[in-house]
Amino acid sequence: MRSPEMLEEIAQLRRMRFASLLEGSTLMILIGIAVPLKYLEGLSVATSIVGPIHGMAFIFYFWMLIQTVSDEKWALNDVIRMIVAALIPFGTFVNERALARRQALLLETTQ
């Protein structure tokens, strides 16, 4: 049987995984589509649109990170990994996989 605290932790991991994927995806779009359009085609409007969207996704990632680690069940190295993941291009995808493993372990231990 799963306790309400366990269900909330699983839900928070789901939200953090979503934030990781969102931040990484918007960075891919920015670097892979918008920046080349700006410099190869002279379409600076692409970065004017995608840049702020990625900025909001980045802020959302850190907001979710603060909410996720505030329950004090996280080791310092996990917190550092999640912070560094946001600063290294595409690191959030690696972080999402680590969060998925943690979520799977939680689900496994509560059954």
Side-chain angles (χ1 to χ4, degrees):
M1 178 115 188
R2 295 181 182 147
S3 68
E5 295 84 20
M6 184 68 64
L7 291 174
E8 178 54 35
E9 186 174 355
I10 291 168
Q12 186 62 36
L13 281 171
R14 234 181 250 132
R15 291 188 291 267
M16 187 65 207
R17 288 178 63 201
F18 172 75
S20 294
L21 292 174
L22 180 67
E23 197 278 337
S25 298
T26 59
L27 180 62
M28 282 180 54
I29 293 168
L30 181 64
I31 292 174
I33 298 171
V35 171
L37 283 174
K38 177 179 181 177
Y39 290 106
L40 298 176
E41 299 295 324
L43 296 172
S44 61
V45 70
T47 54
S48 298
I49 294 169
V50 179
I53 292 170
H54 172 66
M56 287 186 289
F58 187 78
I59 291 168
F60 176 66
Y61 176 86
F62 271 99
W63 175 251
M64 293 308 301
L65 175 62
I66 291 166
Q67 288 185 345
T68 300
V69 301
S70 67
D71 76 9
E72 302 172 8
K73 293 181 183 177
W74 291 83
L76 181 60
N77 62 342
D78 289 330
V79 175
I80 291 170
R81 183 200 71 236
M82 289 191 282
I83 292 170
V84 170
L87 303 175
I88 297 174
F90 312 113
T92 55
F93 292 117
V94 174
N95 183 53
E96 190 277 333
R97 295 311 319 147
L99 293 169
R101 285 190 297 275
R102 183 175 177 127
Q103 183 179 353
L105 282 172
L106 275 174
L107 289 169
E108 186 178 292
T109 58
T110 58
Q111 291 182 1

